[in-house]
Structure formats: C-alpha cells, structure tokens
Amino acid sequence: MFSLPKNATIIEVGPRDGLQNEGKLVKTKDKLQFIDALQQAGIHEMELTSFVSPKWVPQMADAKEIVAGTKKMGRQFVLTPNKLGIDTALESDAQSLAVFVGVSDTFNKKNINKTTQESMDALKPLVLELKKQGIFVRACISTAFYCPFEGAIAPEATIALCREFVDWGVDELSVADTIGMANPKESYDLFNQLVQEFPEILIAAHFHDTRRMALANIVSALQAGVTRFDASAGGLGGCPFAPGATGNVATEDVVNMLHRMNVQTGIDLDLLCVAIKTIEPHVTNPVTTGMYTLYKNRS
C-alpha cells in the first residue's frame, strides 16, 4: 500500500552546503538577504553556515556575522567540525550545532584528515558536553550509501555509526547520499532499518541529485517513515571533498512534489523561488532546476 504522511519538514541547507563550494565569494549581505527570503517563504529549519577554517572553506569565513545577522526563527544549525568550531559557535550564540563524520575512512581522511574512528573518538566528549549544556546536536552522516573512493558502503556500517551517535544522546541523524548514487530500493531499505531501530530520534534524509534519483529516493524514504529532508534552494551545492558530487536536491522541486502528493511543508513555493532569485546573481552557474525554470518563464 502506498502510504504517505500528511506533513514533512524541509531543512534548508542552501546557505551553508549550497554555497560552501561556490567558486565566487558571496558577500555577507547577500547571504543574509537570501536567508531572510527563505524565512519569508516559510522555511523554519535551516543550515546557516559552518565554523570551519577559512583556509579550507573561504566561503564560510563570515560565520559569526551570519549567525548574528539572521532573524531568530525556528531551528538554525551551524556546522562545527571540532572543538574550536564548537567553542566559536557557542560564543556566537548558536543554539543548534551539527557535527559530521563519514562512514568511509578514505572520505573522512580526505575531508578532515582523520579516520572515521579517530573522528568519533574526538567527537564523543564534545557531543556529551554539548548535551550536558542542553544544546541541540545534529549528527551528519556522510557517505552513508556510497563513497567516491571506496564504492558501496555496507548498510551495517552506516547503522553502527548512527547507533554510536544515538548512544551519545544526539537529537537528530542526517543521513546523506553524498555523491548521489543511491537508488530508491537502497533508500527505503536503509531508512526503514534506521526508523525501526531509532524510533525516538529525528531522522533526516540528505540526497544529492547526481543521477537524477533524489526525488525518487525521497519518496522511498517517506514510505519508510522519514518526514525530514535536507534540500538546497536552487539545487545549489556539492561537497568539495567528494569528486563527482553534484548539487543537493532542489528545495523547490521537493516542495512541489510533496505538495502535489498532499504532503504539506508550510512553504510557499512562489516565495521560495523569489528567494532563489535573490541569490542567483551571486553564484557562478545559472539555476536550471525544474520549478525555478517554470517560475522564471511564468514571471
């Protein structure tokens, strides 16, 4: 039986994941205008920025200014790779933090120069301390399906990593198809197992659209019981440490699909396209996603 929920939540990752790999530096004021327009469209959960070294990700050098300049509305995540990032984020009054690790050792080494186990060993005391302080912690699980260097990832490896985070008390797992190789069956199977094993934990699905299967994978995840999805307005983004990874699934295409299936998101599709219009002049490539193209042709 084809069963779908009545509501789903979109976590907008455009301001962080969407822009981090953009070759042209986007001005802080333009990022803030983009974020404000996304909020006006009804998006209340968002990845704002990341507290990482500007040497490695120059686009995120204005993290403090972004947090300070964003209207406090809903849950606003900042990505924090280590203790320095966490401390700086907390000093900037960030309330919801995201940590990340790749299931694949090779990906993790190329991303942050640590094995997966070394990353987990370093993160554990940090996450436990954050939970003592009552901070919302999101664990982002990269290469949950496939790795650009190692190929297919065993579902058991992804589930074991998620289990470790759950044992530490994280509030949410964001499970990513980092290079967009997963198919709908793999999506259903993995998320069904995660939902069954961790019924008390928020679980989000994060799909890239490299092979144009992200929307189908979202439907499969919905059927498995997932109701939270990361998406990027305009389909912006792509991991700088994952060769071949194209943009995230486009928020506007996800919202359109969900609404047409009577799954409500609380997001105004026209205002979402207005938000994309504000950032499009500041990114290198034109936005050519389905719903945004229709919006431009209509307006």
Side-chain angles (χ1 to χ4, degrees):
M1 180 179 177
F2 195 82
S3 178
L4 295 172
K6 292 182 178 179
N7 300 283
T9 299
I10 300 296
I11 300 94
E12 174 59 49
V13 302
R16 197 283 299 178
D17 196 6
L19 295 180
Q20 71 172 1
N21 203 30
E22 170 58 39
K24 183 170 64 173
L25 282 178
V26 181
K27 294 179 180 178
T28 303
K29 68 177 182 64
D30 296 323
K31 292 179 187 177
L32 289 172
Q33 182 183 26
F34 180 41
I35 291 168
D36 182 66
L38 290 167
Q39 290 179 325
Q40 290 184 40
I43 292 174
H44 299 307
E45 294 203 41
M46 199 180 311
E47 252 191 14
L48 294 182
T49 186
S50 59
F51 285 84
V52 294
S53 169
K55 175 183 175 183
W56 298 111
V57 190
Q59 195 70 252
M60 301 290 109
D62 57 357
K64 290 182 181 179
E65 291 81 2
I66 294 298
V67 173
T70 299
K71 293 175 186 173
K72 301 298 182 282
M73 182 186 296
R75 188 175 290 128
Q76 299 170 350
F77 297 102
V78 297
L79 198 67
T80 52
N82 50 34
K83 187 177 188 306
L84 177 60
I86 287 171
D87 290 345
T88 309
L90 294 178
E91 289 166 9
S92 303
D93 200 30
Q95 300 297 311
S96 300
L97 272 57
V99 298
F100 60 91
V101 67
V103 183
S104 154
D105 267 332
T106 308
F107 176 84
N108 218 64
K109 285 280 285 185
K110 289 182 179 291
N111 194 344
I112 55 173
N113 201 31
K114 291 181 179 178
T115 67
T116 299
Q117 190 56 56
E118 287 169 345
S119 287
M120 294 299 281
D121 291 343
L123 283 173
K124 182 176 182 178
L126 302 177
V127 171
L128 293 177
E129 179 57 33
L130 286 171
K131 291 315 303 169
K132 281 184 183 178
Q133 297 179 43
I135 302 295
F136 187 101
V137 178
R138 180 180 223 231
C140 299
I141 314 297
S142 301
T143 58
F145 293 89
Y146 289 88
C147 167
F149 311 104
E150 297 181 14
I153 298 296
E156 295 77 16
T158 297
I159 293 168
L161 196 63
C162 290
R163 187 180 299 120
E164 200 165 348
F165 274 119
V166 170
D167 288 344
W168 300 349
V170 302
D171 301 278
E172 180 171 26
L173 300 167
S174 172
V175 180
D177 179 24
T178 306
I179 58 172
M181 281 190 67
N183 64 54
K185 183 180 186 305
E186 291 168 326
S187 170
Y188 179 85
D189 288 347
L190 180 60
F191 282 109
N192 182 56
Q193 291 180 71
L194 291 170
V195 168
Q196 295 298 318
E197 181 156 351
F198 310 119
E200 304 303 318
I201 299 293
L202 293 174
I203 296 174
H206 181 118
F207 289 108
H208 285 243
D209 206 22
T210 312
R211 290 159 182 80
R212 299 295 183 262
M213 285 197 284
L215 291 177
N217 285 332
I218 286 172
V219 173
S220 291
L222 276 168
Q223 290 182 282
V226 174
T227 59
R228 293 172 62 80
F229 299 94
D230 293 354
S232 178
L236 301 174
C239 179
F241 305 101
T246 56
N248 296 283
V249 65
T251 308
E252 62 275 19
D253 289 345
V254 176
V255 169
N256 173 66
M257 180 185 74
L258 292 175
H259 288 184
R260 288 179 62 83
M261 294 192 298
N262 292 320
V263 179
Q264 299 308 309
T265 65
I267 296 171
D268 185 302
L269 189 54
D270 284 337
L271 290 180
L272 176 58
C273 289
V274 171
I276 299 165
K277 192 174 182 179
T278 69
I279 198 65
E280 187 178 19
H282 308 293
V283 297
T284 305
N285 298 314
V287 178
T288 58
T289 58
M291 289 311 299
Y292 186 61
T293 299
L294 288 173
Y295 165 80
K296 286 199 295 186
N297 290 339
R298 191 182 72 218
S299 48

